[in-house]
């Protein structure tokens, strides 16, 4: 009986906590609007100059619009998750939002992850193929197109070599950290990449706190 009561108490606490977090997410204000990020990214992609020029243009525009909300001196970091490997260039990271460039030079495939967040990926270059859960068909996206992932959605994913995109996520971002770090911890055991990933997220949280209290 004691085990049952404890289980009910834990389950009730988890549900209540999730409800309160979602209530907070629904009521708070955000730094970015998804439509703005997509528009900036699609405009750069449409010029057809390739991902390096597009990323430079997008970062310049983001810094012009959002100033100190964009992290200083970002760097490309490897990321392993869901069986795939890519690279990310983090421009903003907080408890409820992230903005980054993402892609792969060699191609990769795996599990998309199931997130407590709304995510958009605007294609700059390459081909992104998704096999959504519960279907028997794939959907393919190319430069200038945007993929939208709703909370709880999952898919098998494949990127061709030289696939690059701009990704914006809004939701309870810490909930995605287990997925983002699991392959690095238990598969590649790349402690340098693990350190870099935790470091950039910690810096993002610190900068967001300093922005919110008016110190930068």
């Amino acid at each position: 009986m004691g085990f049952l009561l404890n289980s009910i108490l834990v389950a009730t606490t988890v549900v209540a906590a999730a409800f309160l977090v979602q209530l907070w997410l629904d009521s708070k204000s955000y730094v970015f609007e998804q439509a703005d990020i997509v528009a900036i990214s699609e405009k750069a992609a449409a010029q057809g100059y390739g991902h390096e020029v597009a990323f430079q243009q997008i970062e310049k525009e983001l810094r012009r619009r959002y100033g100190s909300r964009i992290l200083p001196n970002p760097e490309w970091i490897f990321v392993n998750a869901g069986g795939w490997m890519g690279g990310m260039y983090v421009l903003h990271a907080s408890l409820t939002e992230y903005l980054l460039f993402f892609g792969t030079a060699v191609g990769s495939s795996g599990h998309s992850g199931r997130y407590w967040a709304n995510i958009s990926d605007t294609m700059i270059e390459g081909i992104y193929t998704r096999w959504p859960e519960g279907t028997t068909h794939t959907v393919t996206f190319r430069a200038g197109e945007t993929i939208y992932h709703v909370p709880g959605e999952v898919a098998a994913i494949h990127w061709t070599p030289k696939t690059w995109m701009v990704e914006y996520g809004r939701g309870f971002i810490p909930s995605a950290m287990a997925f983002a770090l699991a392959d690095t911890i238990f598969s590649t055991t790349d402690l340098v990449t693990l350190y870099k990933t935790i470091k950039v997220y910690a810096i993002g949280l610190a900068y967001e706190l300093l922005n919110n209290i008016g110190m930068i």
Side-chain angles (χ1 to χ4, degrees), residues 136-203:
T136 58
H137 64 272
T138 61
V139 185
T140 299
F141 300 87
R142 292 176 169 81
E145 298 180 318
T146 299
I147 306 98
Y148 295 95
H149 316 259
V150 299
E153 186 178 67
V154 69
I157 54 177
H158 173 73
W159 304 300
T160 61
K162 300 180 181 179
T163 293
W164 305 97
M165 65 198 76
V166 179
E167 181 166 297
Y168 169 63
R170 175 189 287 189
F172 189 52
I173 307 306
S175 67
M177 293 303 290
F179 175 79
L181 297 176
D183 277 11
T184 302
I185 296 172
F186 298 109
S187 179
T188 67
T189 61
D190 183 352
L191 299 183
V192 174
T193 292
L194 178 64
Y195 166 75
K196 289 181 178 180
T197 304
I198 294 174
K199 176 185 174 182
V200 72
Y201 190 54
I203 290 173

Side-chain angles (χ1 to χ4, degrees), residues 63-186:
R63 292 192 183 281
R64 185 188 71 80
R65 292 195 187 195
Y66 300 105
S68 61
R69 298 290 188 170
I70 304 299
L71 291 174
N73 307 314
E75 63 174 337
W76 282 97
I77 303 171
F78 277 140
V79 54
N80 294 85
W84 49 259
M85 182 173 185
M88 64 179 180
Y89 183 89
V90 180
L91 296 162
H92 177 90
S94 70
L95 290 175
T96 58
E97 291 177 283
Y98 71 86
L99 177 60
L100 52 82
F101 299 152
F102 176 83
T104 170
V106 299
S108 196
S109 60
H111 189 288
S112 68
R114 198 186 298 268
Y115 305 106
W116 189 356
N118 283 290
I119 299 171
S120 65
D121 287 304
T122 301
M123 296 291 293
I124 302 299
E125 198 171 58
I127 301 174
Y128 183 161
T129 301
R130 301 180 78 246
W131 172 21
E133 181 182 33
T135 73
T136 58
H137 64 272
T138 61
V139 185
T140 299
F141 300 87
R142 292 176 169 81
E145 298 180 318
T146 299
I147 306 98
Y148 295 95
H149 316 259
V150 299
E153 186 178 67
V154 69
I157 54 177
H158 173 73
W159 304 300
T160 61
K162 300 180 181 179
T163 293
W164 305 97
M165 65 198 76
V166 179
E167 181 166 297
Y168 169 63
R170 175 189 287 189
F172 189 52
I173 307 306
S175 67
M177 293 303 290
F179 175 79
L181 297 176
D183 277 11
T184 302
I185 296 172
F186 298 109

Side-chain angles (χ1 to χ4, degrees), residues 31 66-71 92 204-216:
V31 175
Y66 300 105
S68 61
R69 298 290 188 170
I70 304 299
L71 291 174
H92 177 90
L205 293 176
Y207 265 80
E208 192 60 12
L209 174 61
L210 293 175
N211 270 289
N212 288 338
I213 63 178
M215 293 187 65
I216 55 176

